[in-house]
Amino acid sequence: MNPRLYSFLGKQSGPWRVQRIVHVCGDTLPDVSHIELVAGSPDVPSVWALRGVTSNERYVERSEKTQLVAVQQGLGRPEASRAALIPIRKNAAWWALTQDERRQIFEDVSHHNAIGMEYLPPIARRLHHCRDLPEESPFDFLTWFEFAPEHEAAFDSLLTRLRATPEWGYVEREVEIRLERA
Amino acid sequence: MNPRLYSFLGKQSGPWRVQRIVHVCGDTLPDVSHIELVAGSPDVPSVWALRGVTSNERYVERSEKTQLVAVQQGLGRPEASRAALIPIRKNAAWWALTQDERRQIFEDVSHHNAIGMEYLPPIARRLHHCRDLPEESPFDFLTWFEFAPEHEAAFDSLLTRLRATPEWGYVEREVEIRLERA
């Protein structure tokens, strides 16, 4: 098994309780009361399961990576009792762009890394890719965030700012699942 | 199923007969006499199976893509009775590089796209990614080439030139399987 594979299980019990599911655009996901994040792809009962693989960064340049590594936090901090799972699918126009065009929209125009940097270290984040899985995946990316309750307003602000960028014009499906430790 | 998923089956019969398996570096693959390339990931008997997913290009810029699209050929040309399957694995140092560093080595230093362009349209090529599959894959990429017998020497030259580049310093496993239509 790929050690970078993770699954998000939508369930009626589990370590993270759903506060709300926000239907941002495209089809939403079936209602569940809890989410469990597990390594690999175990065959356990769930209402739905989304899986993705962490990978090398596609757009980060060395100067940005150096900054990121210096301040970003890992998952599982005791104070991080809030979380969010945001599955996203980008449209065909995005995937038809070349690497330089995607990078330009991502950073030069939309400042995705630069905006995200402003919210470090409080907001921890892990990106999972699903576009190149063997199954037809309903999403391209699953991003998981963890933060303390006092940083909830900052997290809301991060989402608002990113969704206002030209990059988000390429997002055709997005669901925001807000969570607290059960 | 992901429509971009393909499998290469090492077998004792099939549409492509193995001329030779060249052990370039790292572990080789078990001997087989034939290869079958199939869509998806069917559960059929084989000595070994490698699967990968075609995806958006990671390093091609718009100017290069425009040139490529204008001249590259698809698979399945009647005259293309020779083929090669080249599974490659790059080392951890490669994957620790950032996007700008990988692009610089790939193209600015090694001229990977520029060298490849010299061999179009005779050499048709399709790249499959396997690093981010759910299973632990023995390779990162599977590249499939098809060409007519009279372009065999050109294909050999292409391989020799690419293997002499700094990019190939990051290749830790490579097997070259040369084929002819059965």
Side-chain angles (χ1 to χ4, degrees):
Chain A
M1 197 194 66
N2 190 329
R4 294 180 278 105
L5 175 68
Y6 295 91
S7 298
F8 295 90
L9 308 175
K11 301 168 69 180
Q12 302 307 352
S13 67
W16 292 95
R17 185 183 306 117
V18 174
Q19 295 176 311
R20 60 186 183 278
I21 299 184
V22 184
H23 173 206
V24 185
C25 67
D27 291 339
T28 188
L29 282 166
D31 254 341
V32 290
S33 63
H34 292 73
I35 297 277
E36 187 172 3
L37 161 54
V38 292
S41 189
D43 188 19
V44 296
S46 62
V47 178
W48 46 257
L50 298 172
R51 58 182 195 164
V53 180
T54 63
S55 187
N56 55 295
E57 292 95 353
R58 308 292 203 248
Y59 303 111
V60 173
E61 301 193 346
R62 176 54 61 193
S63 58
E64 296 156 351
K65 175 101 177 206
T66 303
Q67 283 187 287
L68 278 167
V69 167
V71 292
Q72 69 191 355
Q73 300 294 307
L75 302 184
R77 292 170 297 174
E79 70 274 22
S81 60
R82 297 291 181 275
L85 170 63
I86 305 192
I88 276 182
R89 184 181 176 96
K90 284 181 172 169
N91 65 17
W94 175 262
W95 295 111
L97 296 174
T98 53
Q99 178 67 33
D100 54 325
E101 292 168 333
R102 280 182 275 109
R103 161 73 196 186
Q104 197 195 11
I105 294 165
F106 183 93
E107 195 58 36
D108 304 344
V109 175
S110 301
H111 311 292
H112 191 134
N113 289 329
I115 291 172
M117 274 295 299
E118 294 180 39
Y119 297 87
L120 298 180
I123 314 289
R125 168 189 172 278
R126 193 169 71 194
L127 177 65
H128 311 75
H129 297 259
C130 21
R131 184 167 185 262
D132 292 342
L133 289 179
E135 65 267 21
E136 182 119 61
S137 175
F139 297 100
D140 294 329
F141 308 101
L142 312 172
T143 315
W144 176 258
F145 301 90
E146 289 181 6
F147 47 89
E150 63 265 34
H151 296 121
E152 189 128 36
F155 182 67
D156 288 332
S157 152
L158 168 63
L159 296 186
T160 300
R161 290 175 66 190
L162 286 174
R163 287 178 184 146
T165 62
E167 184 194 349
W168 247 253
Y170 294 89
V171 172
E172 64 178 15
R173 186 175 182 191
E174 179 175 3
V175 181
E176 175 190 329
I177 305 174
R178 298 291 286 263
L179 304 148
E180 60 188 350
R181 271 191 209 282
Chain B
M1 196 194 65
N2 190 330
R4 295 180 278 104
L5 175 68
Y6 295 92
S7 297
F8 296 90
L9 309 175
K11 302 168 67 181
Q12 303 307 351
S13 67
W16 292 96
R17 185 184 305 117
V18 174
Q19 296 175 310
R20 59 186 183 280
I21 299 184
V22 184
H23 173 205
V24 184
C25 67
D27 289 341
T28 189
L29 281 165
D31 255 342
V32 290
S33 63
H34 292 74
I35 296 278
E36 186 172 3
L37 161 55
V38 292
S41 190
D43 188 21
V44 296
S46 62
V47 178
W48 46 256
L50 296 172
R51 59 182 194 164
V53 180
T54 64
S55 187
N56 55 295
E57 293 96 353
R58 309 292 204 247
Y59 304 111
V60 173
E61 299 193 347
R62 175 54 61 192
S63 58
E64 296 157 350
K65 175 100 176 209
T66 303
Q67 282 187 288
L68 278 168
V69 167
V71 292
Q72 69 190 357
Q73 301 293 306
L75 302 185
R77 292 171 297 172
E79 70 273 22
S81 60
R82 297 291 181 274
L85 170 63
I86 306 192
I88 277 182
R89 184 182 176 95
K90 283 180 170 169
N91 64 17
W94 175 261
W95 295 112
L97 296 174
T98 53
Q99 178 67 33
D100 54 325
E101 292 168 331
R102 281 182 275 110
R103 161 74 196 186
Q104 197 195 11
I105 294 165
F106 183 94
E107 194 59 36
D108 304 345
V109 175
S110 301
H111 311 291
H112 190 134
N113 290 329
I115 291 172
M117 273 295 300
E118 293 180 39
Y119 297 87
L120 297 181
I123 313 290
R125 167 188 174 279
R126 194 169 69 195
L127 177 65
H128 311 76
H129 296 259
C130 20
R131 183 167 187 263
D132 292 342
L133 289 179
E135 66 265 22
E136 183 119 60
S137 176
F139 297 100
D140 294 328
F141 309 101
L142 311 172
T143 314
W144 176 257
F145 302 89
E146 289 182 6
F147 47 88
E150 62 265 33
H151 296 120
E152 190 128 36
F155 182 68
D156 288 332
S157 152
L158 168 63
L159 296 186
T160 300
R161 289 175 65 191
L162 286 175
R163 287 178 185 146
T165 63
E167 183 194 348
W168 247 254
Y170 294 89
V171 172
E172 64 177 16
R173 186 175 182 191
E174 179 174 5
V175 182
E176 175 191 330
I177 305 175
R178 297 292 285 264
L179 304 147
E180 60 189 349
R181 272 191 209 282

